[in-house]
Amino acid sequence: MQPFPFAHAESEAQIWKPLALLNLYRLLISGLFTGLFYSDYLLPPLASHDPVLFYAVSLIYFALAIIFIVLISNRWPRFELQIYLQIGTDILATTLLMHASGSISSGLGTLLIVTVAGGSIVMGGRHPLMFAALATLAVLGEQFTAQFVGLGEPNTYTQAGILGLTLFVTALAVHGFARRIRESEALAQRRGLDLANMSQLTEHIIQRMQTGIMVIDEADRIRLMNESAWYMLGMPSATHYSRLADLSAPLADQAQRWRADPAAEIEMIQPSAEHPRVMPRFARIGQASGSGTLIFLEDATAMARHAQQLQLAALGRLTASIAHEIRNPLGAISHAGQLLGESPQLDEHDRRLTGIIGDQSRRMNTIVENIMQLSRRDHSTPRLIELNHFLPNFLREFVAGQGLRPELIGLNIDSSPLRVRFDPSQLEQILTNLCQNAVRYSEDYPGFPKVVIHAALTGESARPFIDILDHGPGIDPQIAAHIFEPFYTTATSGTGLGLYISRELAEANQAHLNYEPVATGGSCFRITFQDPRRQMH
């Protein structure tokens, strides 16, 4: 992962900041001397030897400090050149002020200690003795000049030497101190950058997790919600610090119940009929009583699909082992029934019995083939499908393949583009099964069309769906609760696997197949697709 783009800018700002602070010190000292001179409150020995020189140097020093503010703000000229220019100005101005105030005995030479220390810190420990050497030479030069003009005393050379030694000691001490500061600062910056990158990586992982993640505070305000949780809760219009009850009242009730009793049984919730059921899990963040709560949301459909895949794997092994044991005797029974039916000595009653043998043999063979097909089902390969083009093509092929009249099935597609991610062959298999059932149960309806295929978007979450509506007798509510169970059928010739396989194929493509009763009579089977904007896993 690349570092944050503002890391370099922050590092550069940290380099220039000490130089700005040193210039602030320069501005205060020069401004103080200038103000004291104008106010006539100069304390001895300030300006005791040459007041004009003291005033001129203070004023020029103050003006240069203002100019340095502009140069530092514009960061021109380059950093190293500004350091040499400003520290050199400090040494020269301090030496002249010291000379105007009576040489080394004025005590102004101690200001050079701050100058040397500040220069060593700003330079980051490079050339630690250079500024000390320059300042020492300036002090000795001033002392020589003062002695030459009769200003200084002979013993002041000792004070100048002690000041020079102090400057060198200060430079060396500050050099080590500055180096440690720089190393600590660089380490802290690297650690901060690593933490920032780790935080960004963690956030990216959380947002891409299939498990829904939510964090709420003690007042049930949402502090974090990843993309999966947003989809599972029906893609609500949520903002930071929204209340959980505004997004999902059942989930808020579950959270309150868990806080009251962590051992309480957790129930599944379902935001709407178009969305899968969700199983929440709760965990406390921290040990304090008012700490937040971490909520995990698991797609119950995905968990059920995983369990079903395990069952299908076991079913595949079972069917592979018993296929030979069942189909061979079944083939022998069917063949014997055919031979018996061809006998001219059978009466009508016996022929009806042989017909029953043949019909039931074929039905058992169909059941075995369906089970084997289900256990060998290929993994879905979802692709982006334009329903506006897919459904008309499917309807033409279905009508032609079933030998039906074109006006038997109507097609109603919303004008807006309908895009879904689904395996085309599996979607065709689901639609074929549903349309065959709808046509069979609508035979007694006198009008046309007998079956209607309707495709549009749901009003709340704008998820694509396909409805297969028929004009049959409808399904009794007690029977409707079991129609998607394997081998459950009310027809004497059915296998009870058609709707079960259709729902399995829909779930494999992260869609949902549900039965919805029609108030005016008939049945409606709805395929609700996953939002195509969501990346399928």
XYZ file of all heavy atoms in Angstrom, residues 33 36-37 41-55 58 96-108 142 146 150-152:
277
model
N 15.019 45.406 21.746
C 16.098 46.394 21.762
C 15.658 47.686 21.089
O 15.952 48.787 21.572
C 17.343 45.833 21.084
C 18.046 44.776 21.905
C 18.913 43.863 21.298
C 17.864 44.688 23.263
C 19.570 42.907 22.043
C 18.505 43.717 24.020
C 19.360 42.828 23.406
N 13.174 49.489 23.439
C 13.849 50.082 24.590
C 14.615 51.345 24.205
O 14.658 52.326 24.966
C 14.798 49.066 25.227
C 14.151 47.891 25.970
C 15.214 46.905 26.456
C 13.316 48.389 27.158
N 15.204 51.338 23.020
C 15.960 52.521 22.591
C 15.032 53.699 22.368
O 15.325 54.832 22.757
C 16.736 52.183 21.309
C 17.669 53.277 20.886
C 18.964 53.331 21.394
C 17.267 54.277 19.997
C 19.836 54.349 21.014
C 18.138 55.291 19.612
C 19.427 55.319 20.123
N 14.440 53.841 27.908
C 14.543 53.043 29.130
C 15.663 52.001 29.010
O 15.576 50.916 29.579
C 13.222 52.337 29.417
C 12.161 53.240 29.985
C 11.128 53.706 29.191
C 12.210 53.642 31.331
C 10.165 54.561 29.702
C 11.250 54.490 31.845
C 10.215 54.948 31.026
O 9.262 55.798 31.538
N 16.670 52.309 28.254
C 17.782 51.378 28.100
C 18.528 51.222 29.424
O 18.952 52.209 30.044
C 18.742 51.882 27.024
C 18.293 51.692 25.569
C 19.272 52.378 24.625
C 18.194 50.224 25.238
N 18.656 50.009 29.837
C 19.356 49.732 31.084
C 20.843 49.587 30.814
O 21.240 48.966 29.820
C 18.808 48.446 31.719
C 17.310 48.468 32.067
C 16.891 47.102 32.568
C 17.010 49.536 33.113
N 21.658 50.132 31.631
C 23.115 49.980 31.453
C 23.472 48.503 31.551
O 22.847 47.753 32.331
C 23.720 50.784 32.602
C 22.618 51.691 33.056
C 21.346 50.975 32.786
N 24.417 48.009 30.777
C 25.294 48.793 29.888
C 24.817 48.844 28.429
O 25.654 49.001 27.535
C 26.598 48.046 29.999
C 26.156 46.601 30.125
C 24.876 46.619 30.886
N 23.541 48.635 28.116
C 23.069 48.632 26.735
C 23.339 49.996 26.105
O 23.004 51.058 26.680
C 21.577 48.313 26.684
C 21.143 46.929 27.176
C 19.633 46.774 27.092
C 21.854 45.836 26.406
N 23.966 49.988 24.915
C 24.277 51.201 24.144
C 25.155 52.175 24.910
O 25.146 53.389 24.645
C 22.983 51.886 23.706
N 25.929 51.678 25.855
C 26.766 52.572 26.675
C 27.980 53.099 25.919
O 28.489 54.176 26.230
C 27.212 51.832 27.937
O 27.970 50.676 27.601
N 28.452 52.365 24.890
C 29.642 52.799 24.163
C 29.276 53.564 22.897
O 29.861 54.636 22.627
C 30.514 51.590 23.817
C 31.660 51.922 22.925
N 32.702 52.763 23.313
C 31.943 51.547 21.627
C 33.568 52.886 22.310
N 33.131 52.150 21.279
N 28.319 53.064 22.117
C 27.970 53.712 20.842
C 26.459 53.598 20.640
O 25.967 52.637 20.035
C 28.724 53.044 19.696
C 28.641 53.835 18.388
O 27.748 54.706 18.280
O 29.471 53.570 17.490
N 25.665 54.567 21.140
C 24.207 54.485 21.000
C 23.735 54.471 19.552
O 22.764 53.794 19.227
C 23.724 55.745 21.729
C 24.833 56.110 22.648
C 26.096 55.716 21.945
N 24.416 55.223 18.695
C 23.995 55.260 17.287
C 24.141 53.889 16.642
O 23.253 53.411 15.911
C 24.804 56.321 16.510
C 24.432 56.294 15.025
C 24.587 57.703 17.105
N 25.279 53.246 16.877
C 25.491 51.892 16.338
C 24.458 50.926 16.913
O 23.915 50.074 16.193
C 26.907 51.428 16.659
C 27.267 50.005 16.210
C 27.173 49.880 14.696
C 28.667 49.618 16.701
N 24.169 51.017 18.206
C 23.189 50.122 18.836
C 21.816 50.296 18.200
O 21.130 49.309 17.889
C 23.123 50.424 20.338
C 22.274 49.469 21.118
C 22.828 48.317 21.666
C 20.918 49.706 21.303
C 22.040 47.429 22.378
C 20.126 48.815 22.013
C 20.689 47.673 22.561
N 21.411 51.558 18.001
C 20.096 51.824 17.408
C 20.025 51.321 15.968
O 19.048 50.678 15.558
C 19.802 53.314 17.467
C 18.630 53.733 16.613
C 17.334 53.371 16.948
C 18.836 54.480 15.448
C 16.254 53.740 16.156
C 17.763 54.842 14.639
C 16.479 54.468 15.004
O 15.411 54.825 14.218
N 19.961 47.469 15.863
C 18.675 46.942 16.346
C 17.586 47.115 15.295
O 16.783 46.205 15.059
C 18.272 47.649 17.646
O 19.221 47.406 18.669
N 27.880 43.101 17.013
C 27.856 44.558 16.917
C 27.125 45.173 18.109
O 27.535 46.224 18.634
C 27.182 44.977 15.601
C 27.951 44.643 14.313
C 27.135 45.027 13.084
C 29.315 45.351 14.293
N 25.983 44.558 18.534
C 25.279 45.066 19.713
C 26.152 44.950 20.956
O 26.134 45.840 21.834
C 23.981 44.274 19.911
C 22.874 44.517 18.877
C 21.726 43.536 19.098
C 22.363 45.952 18.941
N 26.921 43.860 21.035
C 27.827 43.691 22.168
C 28.914 44.767 22.162
O 29.256 45.338 23.208
C 28.440 42.289 22.111
C 29.372 41.953 23.276
S 29.955 40.237 23.201
C 30.846 40.251 21.641
N 29.454 45.077 20.978
C 30.486 46.100 20.872
C 29.928 47.466 21.230
O 30.603 48.269 21.918
C 31.060 46.114 19.448
C 32.136 47.120 19.256
N 33.429 46.946 19.721
C 32.118 48.368 18.657
C 34.153 48.008 19.420
N 33.386 48.894 18.771
N 28.677 47.764 20.784
C 28.076 49.064 21.084
C 27.717 49.204 22.557
O 27.466 50.324 23.037
C 26.829 49.266 20.228
N 27.683 48.094 23.276
C 27.295 48.134 24.689
C 28.479 47.956 25.637
O 28.283 47.703 26.837
C 26.256 47.046 24.971
O 25.112 47.223 24.177
N 29.708 47.998 25.110
C 30.854 47.919 26.007
C 31.591 46.612 25.950
O 32.193 46.208 26.961
N 31.530 45.922 24.819
C 32.293 44.692 24.576
C 31.771 43.506 25.404
O 30.586 43.468 25.781
C 33.778 44.943 24.846
O 34.538 43.832 24.422
N 32.672 42.591 25.744
C 32.295 41.323 26.360
C 31.700 41.499 27.746
O 30.873 40.705 28.201
C 33.530 40.388 26.421
C 33.117 38.955 26.819
C 34.562 40.952 27.385
C 32.342 38.275 25.765
N 32.067 42.548 28.407
C 31.579 42.770 29.772
C 30.103 43.136 29.817
O 29.489 43.119 30.892
C 32.401 43.882 30.438
O 32.288 45.104 29.688
N 29.498 43.465 28.660
C 28.070 43.817 28.636
C 27.170 42.618 28.891
O 26.005 42.758 29.256
C 27.717 44.464 27.298
O 27.883 43.516 26.248
N 27.672 41.443 28.665
C 26.874 40.233 28.864
C 26.022 39.843 27.677
O 25.359 38.796 27.687
N 25.988 40.670 26.623
C 25.171 40.334 25.449
C 25.734 39.151 24.668
O 25.040 38.568 23.841
C 25.063 41.553 24.523
C 24.251 42.743 25.063
C 24.223 43.872 24.055
C 22.830 42.298 25.389
N 35.829 40.915 17.975
C 35.270 42.096 18.650
C 36.142 42.485 19.834
O 36.363 43.686 20.099
C 33.841 41.790 19.107
C 33.076 43.011 19.632
C 33.439 43.352 21.062
O 33.776 42.398 21.813
O 33.419 44.554 21.424
N 37.892 45.980 20.380
C 37.648 46.774 21.578
C 38.949 47.096 22.297
O 39.137 48.216 22.817
C 36.695 46.020 22.508
N 40.758 50.845 22.916
C 40.854 51.194 24.316
C 39.575 50.990 25.088
O 39.372 51.624 26.132
N 38.680 50.090 24.582
C 37.404 49.883 25.254
C 37.472 48.761 26.273
O 36.890 48.835 27.349
C 36.301 49.606 24.218
C 34.895 49.372 24.756
C 34.405 50.631 25.484
C 33.941 49.007 23.627
N 38.187 47.722 25.961
C 38.184 46.550 26.817
C 39.374 46.514 27.756
O 40.365 47.217 27.594
